[in-house]
């Protein structure tokens, strides 16, 4: 099949589409994904075999390190009886090191697979891959400081499953707002649902660029804050993030802004509400202390991580047109 050379919107039809940016989505498409997640979860609980990806091969092409995203795509594929080819650091261990172009690498892997899941250090790489690929969809698993759409989808699903809504929420996002691709994609995702209000807590150096701030402000109510004391009472969620060390020119610049805001038991008890959920895309590197982990509001190592696998199962099944087998 020769695919069209453009990135289409989802419009509730996932079949063979690239998942490059959260901007391809809308409210209905996100809700369709959530329904699919529920169906898949329930089928699993009822012990129904989920052979949806039987005979399918998913390439996990990761130019940047990853634990959760890569292994949750791997687990999602295997839970659905599909298989994976995992290619880590192709710049070191594959023909990329001999000078093969990015486009050729994509064309080669699409010859062996049904979907390519790509993580790459350059913003826009997933789109480039999608334009290069002729046969199979590309799923963006993080493109530098750009986007991380599947993380946003699992974050939205996690908020929805806990709060039973995605409208009229008050949320806090903290940490590296400038470079955090998960923050960017989640802000976009939340903007599809009315009435949300997001506080952004970071040191001045890690605030959104003026261009991005204007872009997001046009879509969603945003307030930038610089002190823990300015966190509003009773947020529905806190979304903490790590300072993205790999995006800094020097260790010195990173150290200057790292871990300005740390969640301790004391901070959580003083500034979060009793029903605030505490999320983090992980890995954390000191910005949430371990003493917080046992608090029932802390769901980064439990629900949020687990949902990553379910959401990716649903996404793979939808993109490969396999979900109707379960719905029937
Ligand atoms: C995030 C990422 O890679 O952007 N991790 C993830 O995918 N769960 C967040 C991060 O690395 O800080």
């Amino acid at each position: 099949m020769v695919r069209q050379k453009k990135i289409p919107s989802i419009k509730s039809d996932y079949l063979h589409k690239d998942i490059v940016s959260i901007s391809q989505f809308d409210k209905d498409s996100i809700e369709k994904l959530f329904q699919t997640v529920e169906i898949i979860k329930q089928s699993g609980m009822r012990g129904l075999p989920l052979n949806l990806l039987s005979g399918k091969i998913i390439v996990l092409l990761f130019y940047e390190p990853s634990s959760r995203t890569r292994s949750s795509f791997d687990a999602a594929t295997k839970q659905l009886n599909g298989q994976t080819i995992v290619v880590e650091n192709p710049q070191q261990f594959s023909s990329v090191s001999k000078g093969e172009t990015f486009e050729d690498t994509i064309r080669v892997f699409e010859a062996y697979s049904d979907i390519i899941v790509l993580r790459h250090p350059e913003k826009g790489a997933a789109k480039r891959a999608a334009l290069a690929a002729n046969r199979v969809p590309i799923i963006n698993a993080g493109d530098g400081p750009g986007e991380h759409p599947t993380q946003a989808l699992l974050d939205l699903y996690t908020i929805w499953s806990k709060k039973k809504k995605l409208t009229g929420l008050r949320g806090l996002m903290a940490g590296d707002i400038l470079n955090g691709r998960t923050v960017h994609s989640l802000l976009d995702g939340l903007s599809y649902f009315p009435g949300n209000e997001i506080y952004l807590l970071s040191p001045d150096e890690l605030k959104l660029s003026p261009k991005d701030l204007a872009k997001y402000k046009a879509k969603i109510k945003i307030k930038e804050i610089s002190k823990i004391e300015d966190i509003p009472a009773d947020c529905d969620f806190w979304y903490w993030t790590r300072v993205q060390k790999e995006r800094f020119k020097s260790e010195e610049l990173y150290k200057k802004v790292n871990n300005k805001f740390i969640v301790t038991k004391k901070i959580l008890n003083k500034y979060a509400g009793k029903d605030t959920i505490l999320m983090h895309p992980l890995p954390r590197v000191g910005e949430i202390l371990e003493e917080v982990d046992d608090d029932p509001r802390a769901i980064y190592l439990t629900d949020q991580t687990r949902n990553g696998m379910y959401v990716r199962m649903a996404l793979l099944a939808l993109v490969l047109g396999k979900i109707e087998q379960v719905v029937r």
Side-chain angles (χ1 to χ4, degrees):
M1 183 188 59
V2 177
R3 300 165 63 248
Q4 274 192 343
K5 294 275 176 183
K6 67 184 182 95
I7 312 297
S9 302
I10 303 296
K11 295 208 173 83
S12 298
D13 175 11
Y14 286 77
L15 188 63
H16 295 150
K17 291 200 176 139
D18 303 294
I19 310 289
V20 166
S21 163
I22 197 78
S23 65
Q24 292 169 263
F25 286 77
D26 55 22
K27 181 173 168 292
D28 290 347
S29 306
I30 292 173
E31 285 172 356
K32 177 164 180 171
L33 178 71
F34 290 0
Q35 284 160 17
T36 310
V37 176
E38 295 296 289
I39 292 166
I40 283 186
K41 260 179 155 176
Q42 282 158 22
S43 308
M45 278 180 228
R46 294 208 312 273
L48 294 177
L50 288 168
N51 292 327
L52 301 180
L53 296 190
S54 178
K56 300 292 177 192
I57 293 181
I58 312 297
V59 165
L60 307 178
L61 184 56
F62 276 64
Y63 287 73
E64 266 194 341
S66 167
S67 308
R68 271 147 300 276
T69 307
R70 198 199 53 245
S71 19
S72 67
F73 267 112
D74 206 346
T77 306
K78 287 169 180 163
Q79 288 278 1
L80 296 176
N81 229 349
Q83 296 184 66
T84 52
I85 299 176
V86 183
V87 187
E88 285 178 280
N89 296 325
Q91 58 276 49
Q92 226 176 321
F93 296 116
S94 78
S95 289
V96 174
S97 69
K98 301 180 194 163
E100 184 172 70
T101 66
F102 178 62
E103 277 72 13
D104 277 6
T105 304
I106 296 295
R107 297 296 303 273
V108 167
F109 282 113
E110 74 168 339
Y112 308 141
S113 64
D114 297 283
I115 289 182
I116 298 174
V117 178
L118 173 76
R119 171 167 287 192
H120 196 280
E122 275 165 38
K123 190 172 173 174
K127 186 170 176 191
R128 250 177 82 196
L131 296 179
N134 275 331
R135 279 189 60 252
V136 309
I138 303 294
I139 297 186
N140 182 2
D143 60 330
E147 284 210 45
H148 197 343
T150 67
Q151 178 73 39
L153 294 167
L154 82 88
D155 291 335
L156 289 169
Y157 176 78
T158 302
I159 297 170
W160 174 78
S161 66
K162 287 286 177 192
K163 298 287 159 188
K164 305 294 170 223
K165 60 173 189 173
L166 279 177
T167 54
L169 295 167
R170 176 180 274 183
L172 169 74
M173 296 191 192
D176 195 344
I177 308 298
L178 174 67
N179 300 302
R181 55 194 175 197
T182 66
V183 171
H184 303 159
S185 292
L186 184 54
L187 274 176
D188 264 326
L190 285 164
S191 75
Y192 300 139
F193 299 85
N196 293 323
E197 178 185 35
I198 307 301
Y199 285 75
L200 301 176
L201 170 66
S202 65
D204 286 347
E205 296 88 336
L206 300 181
K207 289 194 189 315
L208 286 173
S209 67
K211 192 170 155 230
D212 279 350
L213 181 64
K215 180 182 102 177
Y216 289 114
K217 274 198 163 162
K219 305 180 191 187
I220 184 165
K221 201 167 165 198
I222 280 182
K223 192 165 186 308
E224 292 184 301
I225 56 175
S226 306
K227 294 201 298 279
I228 292 244
E229 293 74 28
D230 293 337
I231 298 175
D234 289 348
C235 278
D236 292 292
F237 66 88
W238 283 11
Y239 188 89
W240 232 262
T241 62
R242 139 189 102 87
V243 176
Q244 307 278 297
K245 187 176 182 186
E246 63 276 34
R247 313 287 173 224
F248 284 77
K249 290 206 176 77
S250 73
E251 177 96 11
E252 205 187 334
L253 286 172
Y254 164 70
K255 281 193 173 146
K256 222 178 116 203
V257 290
N258 191 30
N259 282 350
K260 292 278 185 228
F261 303 110
I262 296 178
V263 185
T264 61
K265 247 184 185 172
K266 208 167 145 197
I267 296 278
L268 188 71
N269 288 335
K270 186 158 179 200
Y271 295 101
K274 69 174 184 4
D275 295 323
T276 307
I277 50 172
L278 175 57
M279 300 167 67
H280 192 304
L282 302 177
R284 67 172 153 177
V285 285
E287 59 279 347
I288 300 181
L289 296 192
E290 282 178 19
E291 63 178 26
V292 174
D293 296 355
D294 290 337
D295 191 293
R297 293 169 289 185
I299 58 168
Y300 37 86
L301 290 169
T302 52
D303 300 58
Q304 193 183 358
T305 301
R306 187 91 182 144
N307 288 339
M309 183 181 73
Y310 288 127
V311 167
R312 287 170 176 133
M313 284 167 83
L315 206 52
L316 292 171
L318 282 167
V319 170
L320 290 177
K322 293 291 175 186
I323 199 60
E324 288 71 19
Q325 292 176 22
V326 182
V327 181
R328 255 193 284 130

